C-alpha cells in the first residue's frame, strides 16, 4: 500500500466558531501532576544523588483531565467523567479542572487513592518522577455507566483516554453505547489488549504502543499491511500513528497518508498524546473531515512539545 505525503494547508479561522459549538465527552483515567521546582548546588553526602532545595510547587490536571482541559482550551465544551479518590489529591484535581472551564462529574471512591505523578525539577531538567497509584480491585467507574449513556445523547464525539489505571473497565460497553447512538469514538490506547476497543472510530497509538500489538515492522509496506489487518479485526475506520519527530501516519480504507511534523524544538513530550486526541476530537466534533482534523492535531502536537509539562494549545497558537 503506497504511503502518500499530505501537503494540505488549512486555516484555524475557518473552524474557530464551529469549535465553540462542539460538545466532547471525555472518559478515562485522571491523575494529578505535581511539580517540585528547586535549585541543585550540591551532591548529598548520604548517596551520590543531587540535593534539590525546593523553591516552589505546582499542580496540573493529568491523564484524561488533561485531555478535557485541552478540549476546553480550544473553545469546545468538555464534559469529563471519571473516578477519583476521596482524598486531598482528588479535591485538588477537581478544583483545578473547574478552573479550566471543564464540566466534571467525578465518582468519589474512598478505596481508590487518586493517582499522583510527582516530578522533581532542578535546573530546568526532570531529575525524578514518583508515582502514587493503586490498581482498583473493583469496578471503579460502574456508577457512571448510566450517566455516560445519558451524556452521549447530546455529545458530538466521545474521547476515551486509557492510561491503564482501571477507570475504563467498562470501555467495551461504552463504545457499544456510543456506536448505537451514532457518536464516533476516539481512543487513546494502553497495553496490548486492544480487543476491548473494537468498534471505535479511530485509535491513536504511538510507535511503542502499536508495536506491542502488531510487532516490529520491517518497512512501511509491512506496517501498512499489519495495520490494515488490525483495523479490520477491530472494525475501526482509521488508525492514527503518532511518530514523534517524524509526524503522523493516518491509515484508512482509502490508503495511508503521512503528515510530516514542523521543525520545532522539543522541550517536553509529556501530555503530547493528550493534546493530539483532544484536538482530533474537537475538530471531528465540529464536522471537519478526518484528514483535516489530523492536520490540526499534528500542528497542536508540534506546539505543545515546546512547553514544559502537561500543557494545552490555545486557538491563538493554532491560528
Amino acid at each position: 500500500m503506497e504511503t502518500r505525503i499530505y501537503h494540505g494547508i488549512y486555516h484555524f479561522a475557518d473552524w474557530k466558531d464551529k469549535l465553540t459549538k462542539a460538545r466532547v465527552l471525555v472518559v478515562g483515567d485522571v491523575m494529578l501532576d505535581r511539580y517540585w521546582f528547586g535549585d541543585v548546588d550540591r551532591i548529598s553526602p548520604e548517596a551520590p544523588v543531587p540535593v534539590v532545595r525546593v523553591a516552589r510547587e505546582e499542580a496540573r490536571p493529568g491523564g484524561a483531565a488533561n485531555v478535557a482541559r485541552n478540549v476546553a482550551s480550544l473553545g469546545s465544551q468538555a464534559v469529563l467523567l471519571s473516578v477519583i479518590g476521596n482524598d486531598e489529591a482528588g479535591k485538588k484535581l477537581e478544583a483545578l479542572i473547574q478552573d479550566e472551564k471543564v464540566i466534571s462529574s467525578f465518582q468519589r471512591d474512598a478505596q481508590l487513592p487518586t493517582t499522583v505523578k510527582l516530578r522533581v525539577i532542578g535546573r530546568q531538567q526532570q531529575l525524578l518522577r514518583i508515582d502514587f497509584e493503586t490498581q482498583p480491585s473493583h469496578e471503579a467507574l460502574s456508577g457512571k455507566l448510566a450517566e455516560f449513556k445519558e451524556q452521549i445523547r447530546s455529545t458530538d464525539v466521545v474521547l476515551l483516554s486509557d492510561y491503564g489505571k482501571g477507570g475504563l473497565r467498562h470501555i467495551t460497553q461504552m463504545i457499544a453505547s456510543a456506536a448505537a447512538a451514532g457518536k464516533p469514538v476516539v481512543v487513546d490506547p494502553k497495553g496490548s489488549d486492544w480487543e476491548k476497543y473494537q468498534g471505535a472510530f479511530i485509535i491513536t497509538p504511538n510507535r511503542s504502543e502499536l508495536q506491542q500489538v502488531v510487532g516490529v515492522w520491517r518497512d512501511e509496506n509491512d506496517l501498512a499491511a499489519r495495520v490494515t489487518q488490525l483495523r479490520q479485526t477491530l472494525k475501526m475506520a482509521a488508525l492514527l500513528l503518532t511518530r514523534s519527530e517524524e509526524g503522523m501516519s493516518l491509515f484508512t480504507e482509502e490508503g495511508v497518508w503521512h503528515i510530516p511534523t514542523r521543525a520545532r524544538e522539543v522541550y517536553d513530550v509529556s501530555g503530547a498524546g493528550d493534546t493530539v486526541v483532544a484536538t482530533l476530537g474537537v475538530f471531528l466534533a465540529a464536522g471537519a473531515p478526518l484528514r483535516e482534523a489530523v492536520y490540526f492535531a499534528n500542528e497542536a502536537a508540534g506546539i505543545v512539545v515546546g512547553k514544559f509539562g502537561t500543557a494545552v494549545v490555545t486557538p491563538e497558537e493554532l491560528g
Side-chain angles (χ1 to χ4, degrees):
M1 186 180 293
E2 182 183 1
T3 299
R4 288 167 282 186
I5 306 297
Y6 196 54
H7 297 291
I9 299 296
Y10 300 105
H11 303 286
F12 180 81
D14 296 337
W15 292 98
K16 187 174 181 179
D17 290 340
K18 295 178 182 178
L19 291 183
T20 62
K21 300 179 178 65
R23 191 173 188 272
V24 179
L25 177 61
V26 182
V27 188
D29 300 305
V30 297
M31 57 197 69
L32 182 66
D33 287 346
R34 292 190 189 275
Y35 299 88
W36 288 358
F37 298 91
D39 297 322
V40 179
D41 51 23
R42 65 190 179 97
I43 300 299
S44 171
E46 304 167 357
V49 295
V51 175
V52 181
R53 188 171 64 254
V54 177
R56 66 183 179 92
E57 302 178 18
E58 188 176 331
R60 302 180 186 179
N66 189 42
V67 174
R69 70 192 281 249
N70 268 272
V71 170
S73 177
L74 288 172
S76 300
Q77 185 184 56
V79 178
L80 174 63
L81 298 186
S82 191
V83 59
I84 57 175
N86 190 19
D87 50 19
E88 181 273 335
K91 294 174 183 177
K92 179 67 175 178
L93 178 58
E94 191 168 28
L96 286 172
I97 208 67
Q98 288 176 352
D99 291 340
E100 301 281 354
K101 298 180 180 179
V102 172
I103 301 171
S104 62
S105 179
F106 289 132
Q107 176 177 323
R108 292 188 175 276
D109 190 332
Q111 302 177 50
L112 184 65
T114 303
T115 297
V116 175
K117 292 183 179 180
L118 170 61
R119 296 172 175 89
V120 181
I121 313 297
R123 294 182 179 177
Q124 303 298 314
Q125 293 184 335
Q126 185 178 148
L127 303 177
L128 179 68
R129 194 183 93 179
I130 306 171
D131 290 359
F132 301 88
E133 60 184 39
T134 302
Q135 284 288 337
S137 58
H138 57 289
E139 300 294 330
L141 204 55
S142 58
K144 288 297 181 186
L145 276 176
E147 184 176 351
F148 174 84
K149 294 177 180 179
E150 183 67 28
Q151 287 283 358
I152 58 177
R153 295 181 182 179
S154 55
T155 291
D156 297 307
V157 167
V158 177
L159 306 184
L160 299 178
S161 179
D162 191 353
Y163 270 80
K165 309 302 181 186
L168 285 175
R169 293 211 177 167
H170 295 281
I171 192 168
T172 301
Q173 294 173 248
M174 291 177 177
I175 293 174
S177 296
K183 305 301 171 69
V185 176
V186 181
V187 177
D188 190 3
K190 196 73 172 179
S192 58
D193 175 20
W194 285 10
E195 288 188 11
K196 59 188 176 184
Y197 305 138
Q198 183 170 314
F201 173 68
I202 186 171
I203 192 169
T204 63
N206 59 34
R207 281 178 293 196
S208 62
E209 289 167 341
L210 183 59
Q211 285 176 353
Q212 287 185 56
V213 178
V214 303
V216 179
W217 47 87
R218 298 184 302 274
D219 51 34
E220 293 300 310
N221 288 333
D222 183 34
L223 169 61
R226 293 175 188 237
V227 171
T228 297
Q229 183 177 4
L230 178 66
R231 279 197 312 100
Q232 292 173 348
T233 300
L234 298 179
K235 300 177 181 179
M236 288 183 182
L239 182 146
L240 178 62
L241 173 61
T242 58
R243 312 178 76 158
S244 300
E245 71 282 354
E246 295 178 7
M248 300 180 180
S249 294
L250 175 64
F251 299 82
T252 70
E253 196 65 36
E254 298 175 352
V256 184
W257 296 86
H258 182 69
I259 303 95
T261 189
R262 288 195 185 185
R264 289 188 173 98
E265 183 177 354
V266 177
Y267 184 74
D268 192 342
V269 298
S270 61
D274 300 334
T275 299
V276 168
V277 72
T279 308
L280 179 65
V282 298
F283 276 91
L284 290 176
L290 179 56
R291 285 207 298 265
E292 193 164 348
V294 169
Y295 169 85
F296 284 111
N298 189 51
E299 290 289 295
I303 294 168
V304 80
V305 295
K307 301 181 180 183
F308 173 78
T310 48
V312 300
V313 172
T314 66
E316 291 74 23
E317 291 170 320
L318 277 179

